[in-house]
Coordinates of all heavy atoms in Angstrom, one line a residue:
M1 N -13.9 47.1 -100.7 CA -12.9 47.0 -99.6 C -13.7 46.9 -98.2 O -14.5 47.7 -97.9 CB -12.0 48.2 -99.6 CG -10.8 48.1 -98.7 SD -9.6 49.4 -99.0 CE -10.2 50.7 -97.9
H2 N -13.4 45.9 -97.5 CA -14.0 45.5 -96.2 C -13.9 46.7 -95.2 O -14.9 47.0 -94.6 CB -13.1 44.3 -95.8 CG -13.2 43.8 -94.5 ND1 -14.4 43.3 -93.9 CD2 -12.3 43.7 -93.5 CE1 -14.2 42.9 -92.7 NE2 -12.9 43.1 -92.4
E3 N -12.7 47.3 -95.1 CA -12.5 48.4 -94.2 C -13.4 49.6 -94.4 O -13.8 50.3 -93.5 CB -11.0 48.8 -94.1 CG -10.1 47.9 -93.4 CD -9.7 46.7 -94.2 OE1 -10.1 46.6 -95.4 OE2 -9.1 45.8 -93.6
L4 N -13.7 49.8 -95.7 CA -14.5 51.0 -96.0 C -15.9 50.9 -95.5 O -16.5 51.8 -95.0 CB -14.5 51.2 -97.5 CG -14.7 52.6 -98.0 CD1 -13.6 53.5 -97.5 CD2 -14.6 52.7 -99.6
S5 N -16.5 49.7 -95.6 CA -17.8 49.5 -95.1 C -17.8 49.5 -93.5 O -18.8 50.0 -92.9 CB -18.5 48.2 -95.6 OG -17.7 47.1 -95.2
I6 N -16.8 49.1 -92.9 CA -16.7 49.2 -91.4 C -16.6 50.7 -91.1 O -17.3 51.1 -90.2 CB -15.4 48.4 -90.9 CG1 -15.5 46.9 -91.2 CG2 -15.3 48.6 -89.4 CD1 -14.3 46.2 -90.9
A7 N -15.7 51.4 -91.8 CA -15.6 52.8 -91.5 C -16.9 53.6 -91.7 O -17.2 54.4 -90.8 CB -14.5 53.4 -92.5
E8 N -17.7 53.2 -92.6 CA -19.0 53.8 -92.9 C -19.9 53.6 -91.7 O -20.6 54.5 -91.2 CB -19.6 53.2 -94.1 CG -20.7 54.0 -94.7 CD -21.3 53.3 -95.9 OE1 -20.8 52.3 -96.4 OE2 -22.3 53.9 -96.4
S9 N -19.9 52.4 -91.1 CA -20.8 52.1 -89.9 C -20.3 52.9 -88.7 O -21.1 53.4 -88.0 CB -20.7 50.6 -89.5 OG -20.7 49.8 -90.6
V10 N -18.9 52.9 -88.6 CA -18.4 53.6 -87.4 C -18.8 55.1 -87.5 O -19.2 55.7 -86.5 CB -16.8 53.5 -87.3 CG1 -16.2 54.4 -86.3 CG2 -16.5 52.0 -87.1
V11 N -18.6 55.7 -88.6 CA -19.0 57.1 -88.8 C -20.5 57.3 -88.5 O -20.9 58.3 -87.8 CB -18.6 57.7 -90.2 CG1 -19.2 59.0 -90.5 CG2 -17.1 57.7 -90.4
R12 N -21.3 56.4 -89.0 CA -22.8 56.5 -88.8 C -23.1 56.4 -87.4 O -23.9 57.2 -86.8 CB -23.5 55.4 -89.7 CG -24.9 55.7 -89.8 CD -25.6 54.7 -90.8 NE -25.3 53.3 -90.3 CZ -24.8 52.4 -91.1 NH1 -24.6 52.6 -92.3 NH2 -24.6 51.2 -90.6
I13 N -22.6 55.4 -86.7 CA -22.9 55.2 -85.3 C -22.4 56.4 -84.4 O -23.1 56.9 -83.6 CB -22.2 53.9 -84.7 CG1 -22.8 52.7 -85.4 CG2 -22.2 53.8 -83.2 CD1 -22.0 51.4 -85.2
A14 N -21.2 56.9 -84.7 CA -20.6 58.0 -84.0 C -21.4 59.3 -84.2 O -21.7 60.0 -83.2 CB -19.1 58.2 -84.3
S15 N -21.8 59.6 -85.4 CA -22.5 60.8 -85.6 C -23.9 60.7 -85.0 O -24.4 61.7 -84.5 CB -22.5 61.2 -87.1 OG -22.9 60.2 -87.9
R16 N -24.5 59.6 -85.1 CA -25.8 59.4 -84.5 C -25.8 59.6 -82.9 O -26.6 60.3 -82.4 CB -26.4 58.0 -84.8 CG -27.9 58.0 -84.5 CD -28.5 56.7 -85.0 NE -27.8 55.5 -84.5 CZ -27.6 54.4 -85.1 NH1 -28.0 54.3 -86.3 NH2 -26.9 53.4 -84.6
Q17 N -24.8 59.0 -82.3 CA -24.7 59.2 -80.9 C -24.3 60.6 -80.4 O -24.6 61.0 -79.4 CB -23.7 58.1 -80.3 CG -24.2 56.7 -80.4 CD -23.3 55.7 -79.6 OE1 -22.3 56.1 -79.1 NE2 -23.8 54.5 -79.6
A18 N -23.5 61.2 -81.3 CA -23.0 62.6 -81.0 C -24.2 63.6 -81.0 O -24.1 64.6 -80.4 CB -21.9 63.0 -81.9
D19 N -25.2 63.3 -81.8 CA -26.4 64.0 -81.8 C -26.1 65.5 -82.1 O -26.6 66.4 -81.3 CB -27.2 63.8 -80.5 CG -28.6 64.2 -80.6 OD1 -29.2 64.4 -81.8 OD2 -29.2 64.5 -79.6
G20 N -25.4 65.9 -83.1 CA -25.1 67.2 -83.5 C -23.8 67.8 -82.9 O -23.3 68.9 -83.3
R21 N -23.3 67.2 -81.8 CA -22.1 67.7 -81.2 C -20.9 67.2 -82.0 O -21.0 66.3 -82.8 CB -21.9 67.3 -79.8 CG -22.9 68.0 -78.8 CD -23.0 67.3 -77.5 NE -23.6 66.0 -77.7 CZ -23.8 65.1 -76.7 NH1 -23.4 65.4 -75.4 NH2 -24.4 63.9 -76.9
C22 N -19.7 67.8 -81.8 CA -18.5 67.4 -82.6 C -17.8 66.3 -81.8 O -17.6 66.4 -80.7 CB -17.6 68.6 -82.7 SG -17.9 69.5 -84.2
V23 N -17.5 65.3 -82.6 CA -16.7 64.2 -82.0 C -15.2 64.4 -82.2 O -14.8 64.8 -83.3 CB -17.1 62.9 -82.8 CG1 -16.4 61.7 -82.2 CG2 -18.6 62.6 -82.7
T24 N -14.5 64.2 -81.1 CA -13.0 64.4 -81.1 C -12.3 63.1 -81.2 O -11.2 63.1 -81.6 CB -12.5 65.3 -80.0 OG1 -13.0 64.7 -78.7 CG2 -13.1 66.7 -80.0
K25 N -12.9 62.1 -80.6 CA -12.2 60.8 -80.6 C -13.2 59.7 -80.6 O -14.2 59.7 -79.9 CB -11.4 60.8 -79.3 CG -10.4 59.7 -79.2 CD -9.6 60.0 -77.9 CE -8.6 58.9 -77.5 NZ -7.9 59.2 -76.3
V26 N -12.9 58.6 -81.3 CA -13.7 57.4 -81.4 C -12.9 56.3 -80.9 O -11.8 56.0 -81.5 CB -14.3 57.2 -82.8 CG1 -15.1 55.9 -82.8 CG2 -15.1 58.3 -83.3
Q27 N -13.3 55.5 -79.9 CA -12.6 54.4 -79.5 C -13.3 53.1 -79.9 O -14.5 53.0 -79.7 CB -12.4 54.4 -78.0 CG -11.2 55.2 -77.6 CD -10.6 54.8 -76.3 OE1 -11.3 54.9 -75.3 NE2 -9.4 54.3 -76.3
M28 N -12.6 52.2 -80.5 CA -13.3 51.0 -80.9 C -12.5 49.7 -80.6 O -11.3 49.8 -80.4 CB -13.7 51.0 -82.4 CG -12.6 51.1 -83.4 SD -13.3 51.2 -85.0 CE -14.1 49.6 -85.2
K29 N -13.2 48.6 -80.5 CA -12.5 47.3 -80.3 C -12.6 46.5 -81.6 O -13.6 46.4 -82.2 CB -13.3 46.5 -79.2 CG -12.8 46.8 -77.8 CD -13.3 45.8 -76.8 CE -12.7 46.2 -75.5 NZ -13.2 45.3 -74.4
V30 N -11.4 46.0 -82.0 CA -11.4 45.2 -83.2 C -10.7 43.9 -82.9 O -9.6 43.8 -82.5 CB -10.5 45.9 -84.3 CG1 -10.4 45.1 -85.5 CG2 -11.1 47.3 -84.6
G31 N -11.5 42.8 -83.1 CA -11.0 41.5 -82.8 C -10.1 41.0 -83.9 O -10.2 41.4 -85.1
H32 N -9.1 40.2 -83.5 CA -8.1 39.7 -84.5 C -8.7 38.9 -85.6 O -8.2 39.0 -86.8 CB -7.2 38.7 -83.7 CG -6.1 38.1 -84.5 ND1 -5.0 38.8 -85.0 CD2 -5.9 36.8 -84.9 CE1 -4.3 37.9 -85.7 NE2 -4.8 36.7 -85.6
L33 N -9.8 38.2 -85.4 CA -10.4 37.4 -86.4 C -11.1 38.2 -87.5 O -11.5 37.7 -88.5 CB -11.4 36.4 -85.8 CG -10.8 35.4 -84.8 CD1 -11.9 34.6 -84.2 CD2 -9.8 34.6 -85.5
R34 N -11.3 39.5 -87.2 CA -12.0 40.4 -88.2 C -11.0 40.7 -89.3 O -11.5 41.3 -90.4 CB -12.5 41.6 -87.5 CG -13.6 41.4 -86.5 CD -14.8 40.9 -87.2 NE -15.9 40.7 -86.3 CZ -17.2 40.6 -86.6 NH1 -17.5 40.7 -87.9 NH2 -18.1 40.4 -85.7
Q35 N -9.7 40.5 -89.1 CA -8.7 40.8 -90.1 C -8.8 42.2 -90.7 O -8.8 42.3 -91.9 CB -8.8 39.7 -91.2 CG -8.5 38.3 -90.7 CD -8.4 37.3 -91.9 OE1 -9.5 36.9 -92.3 NE2 -7.2 37.0 -92.3
V36 N -9.0 43.1 -89.8 CA -9.0 44.5 -90.3 C -7.6 45.1 -90.4 O -6.8 44.8 -89.5 CB -9.8 45.3 -89.2 CG1 -9.7 46.8 -89.5 CG2 -11.3 44.9 -89.3
V37 N -7.4 45.8 -91.5 CA -6.1 46.5 -91.6 C -6.3 47.8 -91.0 O -7.0 48.7 -91.6 CB -5.7 46.5 -93.1 CG1 -4.4 47.3 -93.3 CG2 -5.6 45.2 -93.7
P38 N -5.6 48.1 -89.9 CA -5.8 49.4 -89.2 C -5.6 50.6 -90.1 O -6.4 51.6 -90.0 CB -4.8 49.3 -88.0 CG -4.6 47.9 -87.8 CD -4.7 47.2 -89.2
S39 N -4.6 50.6 -90.9 CA -4.3 51.8 -91.7 C -5.4 52.0 -92.7 O -5.8 53.2 -93.0 CB -2.9 51.7 -92.4 OG -2.9 50.5 -93.2
A40 N -5.9 51.0 -93.2 CA -7.0 51.1 -94.2 C -8.3 51.6 -93.5 O -9.0 52.4 -94.1 CB -7.3 49.7 -94.9
L41 N -8.5 51.1 -92.3 CA -9.7 51.6 -91.6 C -9.6 53.1 -91.2 O -10.5 53.8 -91.4 CB -9.9 50.7 -90.3 CG -11.2 51.0 -89.5 CD1 -12.4 51.1 -90.3 CD2 -11.3 50.0 -88.4
T42 N -8.4 53.5 -90.7 CA -8.2 54.9 -90.4 C -8.4 55.8 -91.6 O -9.0 56.8 -91.6 CB -6.7 55.1 -89.9 OG1 -6.6 54.2 -88.7 CG2 -6.5 56.5 -89.4
F43 N -7.8 55.3 -92.8 CA -8.0 56.1 -94.0 C -9.4 56.2 -94.4 O -9.9 57.3 -94.7 CB -7.2 55.4 -95.1 CG -7.3 56.0 -96.5 CD1 -6.6 57.2 -96.7 CD2 -8.2 55.5 -97.4 CE1 -6.8 57.8 -98.0 CE2 -8.3 56.1 -98.7 CZ -7.6 57.3 -98.9
G44 N -10.2 55.1 -94.4 CA -11.6 55.2 -94.8 C -12.4 56.0 -93.8 O -13.3 56.8 -94.2
F45 N -12.1 55.9 -92.6 CA -12.7 56.7 -91.5 C -12.6 58.2 -91.8 O -13.5 59.0 -91.8 CB -12.2 56.3 -90.2 CG -12.7 57.1 -89.0 CD1 -14.0 56.8 -88.5 CD2 -12.0 58.1 -88.5 CE1 -14.5 57.6 -87.5 CE2 -12.5 58.9 -87.4 CZ -13.8 58.6 -86.9
G46 N -11.3 58.6 -92.1 CA -11.0 60.0 -92.3 C -11.8 60.5 -93.6 O -12.3 61.7 -93.6
L47 N -11.8 59.7 -94.6 CA -12.5 60.0 -95.8 C -14.0 60.2 -95.6 O -14.6 61.2 -96.0 CB -12.3 58.9 -96.8 CG -12.3 59.1 -98.3 CD1 -11.1 60.0 -98.7 CD2 -12.2 57.8 -99.0
L48 N -14.6 59.3 -94.9 CA -16.1 59.3 -94.8 C -16.6 60.2 -93.7 O -17.7 60.6 -93.7 CB -16.6 57.8 -94.4 CG -16.4 56.9 -95.6 CD1 -16.5 55.4 -95.1 CD2 -17.3 57.1 -96.7
A49 N -15.7 60.6 -92.8 CA -16.0 61.6 -91.7 C -16.1 63.0 -92.3 O -16.8 63.8 -91.6 CB -15.0 61.5 -90.6
E50 N -15.5 63.2 -93.4 CA -15.5 64.6 -94.0 C -16.9 65.1 -94.1 O -17.8 64.4 -94.7 CB -14.8 64.6 -95.3 CG -13.3 64.9 -95.2 CD -12.6 64.8 -96.5 OE1 -13.2 65.3 -97.5 OE2 -11.5 64.3 -96.6
G51 N -17.2 66.3 -93.6 CA -18.5 66.9 -93.8 C -19.5 66.5 -92.7 O -20.6 66.9 -92.8
T52 N -19.1 65.6 -91.8 CA -20.0 65.1 -90.7 C -19.5 65.7 -89.4 O -18.4 66.3 -89.3 CB -20.1 63.6 -90.6 OG1 -18.8 63.1 -90.0 CG2 -20.2 62.9 -92.0
S53 N -20.2 65.4 -88.3 CA -19.8 65.9 -87.0 C -18.6 65.1 -86.5 O -18.1 65.4 -85.4 CB -21.0 65.8 -86.0 OG -21.5 64.5 -86.1
V54 N -18.2 64.1 -87.3 CA -17.1 63.2 -86.9 C -15.8 63.7 -87.5 O -14.7 63.1 -87.2 CB -17.4 61.7 -87.2 CG1 -16.4 60.8 -86.5 CG2 -18.8 61.3 -86.8
E55 N -15.9 64.6 -88.4 CA -14.7 65.1 -89.1 C -13.6 65.5 -88.2 O -13.8 66.2 -87.2 CB -15.1 66.3 -90.1 CG -13.9 66.7 -90.9 CD -14.3 67.7 -92.0 OE1 -15.5 67.9 -92.3 OE2 -13.4 68.3 -92.6
G56 N -12.4 65.0 -88.5 CA -11.2 65.4 -87.7 C -11.1 64.6 -86.4 O -10.1 64.8 -85.7
A57 N -12.0 63.7 -86.1 CA -11.9 62.9 -84.9 C -10.7 61.9 -85.0 O -10.4 61.4 -86.1 CB -13.2 62.2 -84.6
E58 N -10.2 61.6 -83.9 CA -9.1 60.6 -83.9 C -9.8 59.2 -83.7 O -10.7 59.0 -82.9 CB -8.2 60.9 -82.7 CG -7.0 59.9 -82.5 CD -6.3 60.1 -81.2 OE1 -6.7 61.0 -80.4 OE2 -5.4 59.3 -81.0
L59 N -9.3 58.2 -84.5 CA -9.8 56.9 -84.4 C -8.8 56.0 -83.6 O -7.7 55.8 -84.1 CB -10.1 56.3 -85.8 CG -10.7 54.9 -85.8 CD1 -12.1 54.8 -85.2 CD2 -10.8 54.3 -87.2
V60 N -9.2 55.5 -82.5 CA -8.3 54.6 -81.7 C -8.9 53.2 -81.7 O -10.0 53.0 -81.3 CB -8.3 55.2 -80.2 CG1 -7.3 54.3 -79.4 CG2 -7.8 56.6 -80.2
M61 N -8.0 52.3 -82.1 CA -8.4 50.9 -82.2 C -7.7 50.1 -81.2 O -6.5 50.1 -81.1 CB -8.1 50.3 -83.6 CG -9.0 50.6 -84.7 SD -8.4 50.3 -86.3 CE -7.8 51.9 -86.7
E62 N -8.5 49.3 -80.4 CA -7.9 48.4 -79.4 C -8.0 47.0 -80.1 O -9.1 46.6 -80.4 CB -8.7 48.4 -78.1 CG -8.1 47.6 -77.1 CD -9.0 47.3 -75.9 OE1 -9.9 48.1 -75.6 OE2 -8.8 46.3 -75.2
Q63 N -6.9 46.4 -80.3 CA -6.9 45.1 -80.9 C -7.2 44.0 -79.8 O -6.5 44.0 -78.8 CB -5.5 44.8 -81.5 CG -5.1 45.8 -82.6 CD -5.6 45.6 -83.9 OE1 -6.2 44.5 -84.2 NE2 -5.5 46.6 -84.8
V64 N -8.1 43.2 -80.1 CA -8.4 42.1 -79.2 C -7.9 40.8 -79.8 O -8.3 40.4 -80.8 CB -10.0 42.0 -79.0 CG1 -10.3 40.9 -78.0 CG2 -10.5 43.3 -78.6
P65 N -7.0 40.1 -79.0 CA -6.4 38.8 -79.5 C -7.5 37.8 -79.6 O -8.5 37.8 -78.8 CB -5.3 38.5 -78.5 CG -5.4 39.4 -77.4 CD -6.4 40.5 -77.7
A66 N -7.3 36.8 -80.4 CA -8.3 35.7 -80.6 C -8.0 34.6 -79.6 O -6.9 34.2 -79.4 CB -8.3 35.2 -82.0
E67 N -9.1 34.1 -79.0 CA -8.9 32.9 -78.1 C -10.1 32.0 -78.4 O -11.2 32.4 -78.7 CB -9.0 33.4 -76.6 CG -7.7 34.0 -76.1 CD -7.9 34.5 -74.7 OE1 -8.7 34.0 -74.0 OE2 -7.1 35.5 -74.4
G68 N -9.8 30.7 -78.3 CA -10.8 29.7 -78.5 C -10.6 28.5 -77.6 O -9.5 28.2 -77.1
R69 N -11.8 27.8 -77.3 CA -11.7 26.6 -76.5 C -11.9 25.4 -77.4 O -12.9 25.4 -78.1 CB -12.8 26.7 -75.4 CG -12.7 25.4 -74.4 CD -13.9 25.4 -73.5 NE -13.8 26.5 -72.5 CZ -14.8 27.4 -72.4 NH1 -15.9 27.3 -73.1 NH2 -14.7 28.4 -71.5
C70 N -11.1 24.4 -77.2 CA -11.1 23.2 -78.1 C -12.3 22.4 -77.6 O -12.5 22.1 -76.4 CB -9.8 22.4 -77.9 SG -9.8 20.9 -78.8
R71 N -13.1 21.9 -78.6 CA -14.2 21.0 -78.2 C -13.8 19.6 -78.0 O -14.6 18.8 -77.5 CB -15.3 21.1 -79.3 CG -16.0 22.5 -79.4 CD -17.4 22.4 -80.1 NE -18.1 23.6 -80.0 CZ -18.1 24.6 -80.9 NH1 -17.4 24.4 -82.0 NH2 -18.8 25.7 -80.7
S72 N -12.6 19.2 -78.4 CA -12.1 17.9 -78.2 C -11.4 17.7 -76.8 O -11.8 16.9 -76.0 CB -11.1 17.4 -79.2 OG -11.6 17.8 -80.5
C73 N -10.5 18.6 -76.5 CA -9.7 18.5 -75.3 C -10.0 19.5 -74.2 O -9.5 19.4 -73.1 CB -8.2 18.4 -75.6 SG -7.5 20.0 -76.0
G74 N -10.7 20.5 -74.6 CA -11.1 21.5 -73.6 C -10.1 22.6 -73.3 O -10.4 23.5 -72.5
V75 N -8.9 22.5 -73.9 CA -7.9 23.5 -73.6 C -8.2 24.8 -74.4 O -8.7 24.8 -75.5 CB -6.5 23.0 -74.1 CG1 -5.4 24.1 -74.1 CG2 -6.1 21.8 -73.2
E76 N -7.9 26.0 -73.7 CA -8.1 27.3 -74.3 C -6.8 27.7 -74.9 O -5.8 27.7 -74.3 CB -8.6 28.3 -73.3 CG -10.0 28.0 -72.9 CD -10.5 29.0 -71.8 OE1 -9.9 30.1 -71.6 OE2 -11.6 28.7 -71.2
S77 N -6.8 28.1 -76.2 CA -5.6 28.6 -76.9 C -5.8 30.0 -77.4 O -6.9 30.4 -77.7 CB -5.3 27.7 -78.1 OG -5.3 26.3 -77.8
R78 N -4.6 30.6 -77.5 CA -4.6 31.9 -78.2 C -4.4 31.6 -79.7 O -3.6 30.8 -80.0 CB -3.5 32.7 -77.7 CG -3.4 34.0 -78.4 CD -2.7 35.1 -77.6 NE -2.4 36.2 -78.6 CZ -1.8 37.3 -78.2 NH1 -1.5 37.5 -76.9 NH2 -1.6 38.3 -79.0
L79 N -5.3 32.2 -80.5 CA -5.3 31.8 -81.9 C -4.6 32.9 -82.7 O -5.2 34.0 -82.9 CB -6.7 31.6 -82.4 CG -7.5 30.7 -81.5 CD1 -9.0 30.8 -81.8 CD2 -7.0 29.2 -81.5
D80 N -3.4 32.7 -83.2 CA -2.7 33.7 -83.9 C -2.8 33.7 -85.4 O -2.8 34.7 -86.1 CB -1.2 33.8 -83.5 CG -1.0 34.4 -82.2 OD1 -1.8 35.3 -81.8 OD2 -0.2 33.9 -81.4
G81 N -2.9 32.4 -85.9 CA -2.9 32.3 -87.4 C -4.1 31.5 -87.9 O -4.9 31.0 -87.1
F82 N -4.2 31.3 -89.2 CA -5.2 30.5 -89.8 C -4.5 29.3 -90.4 O -3.4 29.4 -90.9 CB -5.9 31.3 -90.9 CG -6.7 32.5 -90.3 CD1 -6.2 33.7 -90.1 CD2 -8.0 32.3 -89.8 CE1 -6.9 34.8 -89.5 CE2 -8.8 33.3 -89.2 CZ -8.2 34.6 -89.1
P83 N -5.2 28.1 -90.4 CA -6.5 27.8 -89.8 C -6.4 27.9 -88.3 O -5.3 27.7 -87.7 CB -6.8 26.4 -90.3 CG -5.5 25.8 -90.5 CD -4.6 26.9 -91.0
L84 N -7.5 28.2 -87.6 CA -7.6 28.2 -86.2 C -7.5 26.8 -85.7 O -8.2 25.9 -86.1 CB -8.9 28.9 -85.7 CG -9.1 30.3 -86.4 CD1 -10.5 30.8 -86.0 CD2 -8.1 31.3 -85.9
R85 N -6.5 26.6 -84.7 CA -6.2 25.3 -84.3 C -5.9 25.2 -82.8 O -5.2 26.2 -82.3 CB -5.0 24.9 -85.2 CG -4.5 23.5 -85.1 CD -3.2 23.4 -85.9 NE -3.5 23.3 -87.4 CZ -3.8 22.2 -88.0 NH1 -3.9 21.1 -87.4 NH2 -4.1 22.3 -89.3
C86 N -6.3 24.2 -82.2 CA -6.0 24.0 -80.7 C -4.5 23.8 -80.6 O -3.9 23.0 -81.3 CB -6.8 22.8 -80.2 SG -6.2 22.3 -78.6
L87 N -3.9 24.5 -79.7 CA -2.4 24.4 -79.5 C -2.0 23.1 -78.8 O -0.9 22.7 -78.8 CB -1.8 25.6 -78.8 CG -2.0 27.0 -79.5 CD1 -1.3 28.1 -78.7 CD2 -1.4 26.9 -80.9
A88 N -3.0 22.5 -78.1 CA -2.7 21.3 -77.3 C -2.8 20.0 -78.1 O -1.9 19.2 -78.2 CB -3.6 21.2 -76.1
C89 N -3.9 19.9 -78.9 CA -4.1 18.6 -79.6 C -4.2 18.8 -81.1 O -4.2 17.9 -81.9 CB -5.4 17.9 -79.1 SG -6.9 18.7 -79.7
G90 N -4.1 20.1 -81.6 CA -4.2 20.3 -83.0 C -5.6 20.3 -83.6 O -5.8 20.4 -84.8
G91 N -6.6 20.1 -82.7 CA -8.0 20.0 -83.2 C -8.4 21.3 -83.8 O -8.0 22.4 -83.5
L92 N -9.3 21.2 -84.8 CA -9.8 22.3 -85.5 C -11.2 22.7 -85.1 O -11.8 23.7 -85.5 CB -9.9 22.0 -87.0 CG -8.5 21.8 -87.6 CD1 -8.7 21.3 -89.0 CD2 -7.7 23.1 -87.7
D93 N -11.8 22.0 -84.2 CA -13.2 22.3 -83.7 C -13.1 23.1 -82.5 O -13.0 22.6 -81.4 CB -13.9 21.0 -83.4 CG -15.4 21.2 -83.2 OD1 -15.9 22.3 -83.4 OD2 -16.1 20.3 -82.8
L94 N -13.2 24.4 -82.7 CA -13.0 25.4 -81.6 C -14.2 26.2 -81.4 O -14.9 26.7 -82.3 CB -11.8 26.3 -81.9 CG -10.5 25.6 -82.1 CD1 -9.5 26.6 -82.8 CD2 -9.9 25.2 -80.7
E95 N -14.5 26.5 -80.1 CA -15.5 27.5 -79.8 C -14.7 28.8 -79.6 O -13.8 28.9 -78.8 CB -16.1 27.1 -78.4 CG -17.2 28.0 -77.9 CD -17.6 27.8 -76.5 OE1 -17.2 26.7 -75.9 OE2 -18.3 28.6 -75.9
I96 N -15.1 29.8 -80.4 CA -14.4 31.1 -80.3 C -14.9 31.9 -79.1 O -16.1 32.1 -78.9 CB -14.7 31.9 -81.6 CG1 -14.3 31.2 -82.9 CG2 -14.0 33.3 -81.5 CD1 -12.8 30.8 -82.9
L97 N -13.9 32.2 -78.3 CA -14.2 33.0 -77.0 C -14.0 34.5 -77.2 O -14.7 35.3 -76.6 CB -13.4 32.5 -75.9 CG -13.4 31.0 -75.6 CD1 -12.3 30.7 -74.5 CD2 -14.8 30.6 -75.1
K98 N -13.0 34.8 -78.0 CA -12.7 36.2 -78.2 C -12.1 36.4 -79.6 O -11.6 35.4 -80.2 CB -11.5 36.6 -77.2 CG -11.9 37.2 -75.9 CD -10.6 37.5 -75.3 CE -10.6 38.2 -74.0 NZ -9.3 38.5 -73.5
G99 N -12.1 37.6 -80.0 CA -11.5 37.9 -81.3 C -12.5 38.3 -82.4 O -12.1 38.6 -83.5
E100 N -13.8 38.2 -82.1 CA -14.8 38.6 -83.1 C -15.4 39.9 -82.9 O -16.3 40.3 -83.6 CB -15.9 37.5 -83.2 CG -15.4 36.2 -83.7 CD -16.4 35.1 -84.0 OE1 -17.2 34.9 -83.0 OE2 -16.5 34.5 -85.0
E101 N -14.8 40.7 -81.9 CA -15.3 42.0 -81.6 C -15.2 42.9 -82.8 O -14.2 42.9 -83.5 CB -14.5 42.6 -80.4 CG -14.7 41.9 -79.1 CD -13.9 40.6 -78.9 OE1 -13.2 40.2 -79.9 OE2 -13.9 40.0 -77.9
L102 N -16.1 43.8 -82.9 CA -16.0 44.9 -83.9 C -17.1 45.9 -83.4 O -18.2 45.8 -83.8 CB -16.3 44.4 -85.3 CG -16.0 45.4 -86.4 CD1 -14.6 45.8 -86.4 CD2 -16.4 44.9 -87.7
M103 N -16.7 46.8 -82.6 CA -17.7 47.7 -82.1 C -17.1 49.1 -81.6 O -15.9 49.1 -81.3 CB -18.4 47.1 -80.9 CG -17.4 46.7 -79.8 SD -18.3 45.8 -78.5 CE -17.1 44.8 -77.7
V104 N -17.9 50.1 -81.7 CA -17.6 51.4 -81.2 C -17.8 51.3 -79.6 O -18.8 51.0 -79.2 CB -18.4 52.5 -81.8 CG1 -18.1 53.8 -81.1 CG2 -18.2 52.6 -83.3
E105 N -16.7 51.6 -78.9 CA -16.8 51.4 -77.5 C -17.1 52.7 -76.8 O -17.9 52.8 -75.9 CB -15.4 50.9 -77.0 CG -15.5 50.4 -75.5 CD -14.4 49.5 -75.2 OE1 -13.2 50.0 -75.4 OE2 -14.7 48.4 -74.7
S106 N -16.5 53.8 -77.2 CA -16.8 55.1 -76.6 C -16.4 56.3 -77.5 O -15.7 56.1 -78.5 CB -16.1 55.3 -75.3 OG -14.7 55.4 -75.5
L107 N -17.0 57.4 -77.2 CA -16.8 58.6 -78.0 C -16.3 59.7 -77.1 O -16.8 59.8 -75.9 CB -18.1 59.1 -78.6 CG -18.8 58.2 -79.6 CD1 -20.1 58.9 -80.1 CD2 -17.9 57.9 -80.8
E108 N -15.5 60.6 -77.6 CA -15.2 61.8 -76.8 C -15.8 62.9 -77.7 O -15.6 63.0 -78.9 CB -13.7 62.0 -76.6 CG -13.2 61.3 -75.4 CD -11.7 61.5 -75.2 OE1 -11.2 62.5 -75.6 OE2 -11.2 60.5 -74.6
L109 N -16.5 63.8 -77.0 CA -17.2 64.9 -77.7 C -16.6 66.2 -77.2 O -16.1 66.4 -76.1 CB -18.7 64.9 -77.3 CG -19.4 63.6 -77.6 CD1 -20.8 63.6 -77.0 CD2 -19.5 63.3 -79.1
E110 N -16.7 67.2 -78.2 CA -16.2 68.5 -77.9 C -17.1 69.1 -76.8 O -18.3 69.0 -76.8 CB -16.3 69.3 -79.1 CG -15.4 70.5 -79.2 CD -15.3 71.1 -80.6 OE1 -16.3 71.5 -81.1 OE2 -14.2 71.0 -81.2
E111 N -16.5 69.9 -75.9 CA -17.3 70.6 -74.9 C -18.2 71.6 -75.5 O -17.8 72.2 -76.4 CB -16.3 71.3 -73.9 CG -15.3 70.4 -73.2 CD -16.0 69.6 -72.1 OE1 -16.9 70.1 -71.4 OE2 -15.6 68.4 -71.9
A112 N -19.4 71.7 -75.0 CA -20.3 72.6 -75.6 C -19.9 74.1 -75.3 O -19.2 74.3 -74.3 CB -21.7 72.4 -75.0
Ligands
LIG1 ZN1 -7.6 20.4 -78.2

């Protein structure tokens, strides 16, 4: 399961950055093109965080919509479905501008 390996990286990154302190909240950005199922990621995160300094932390996901610029006509489109297609000319040759994000943006740590 794709989400489980993402959850594993998130827990690893968060616990490394927390450096022994307790993490209460993890904020991340998830691009639309990553096709992450939020409930599956939250579930995996809870499971893998057990026994680490990230245990019990809230996982907040900010969804980033996908956008691309058409290489044929230059129009920028919001990309909602697959295949990714220019909304102006129907072209399939797009430069992806947004939507591939997958990163931990910030952590909230317990006060010492
Ligand atoms: Zn186009």
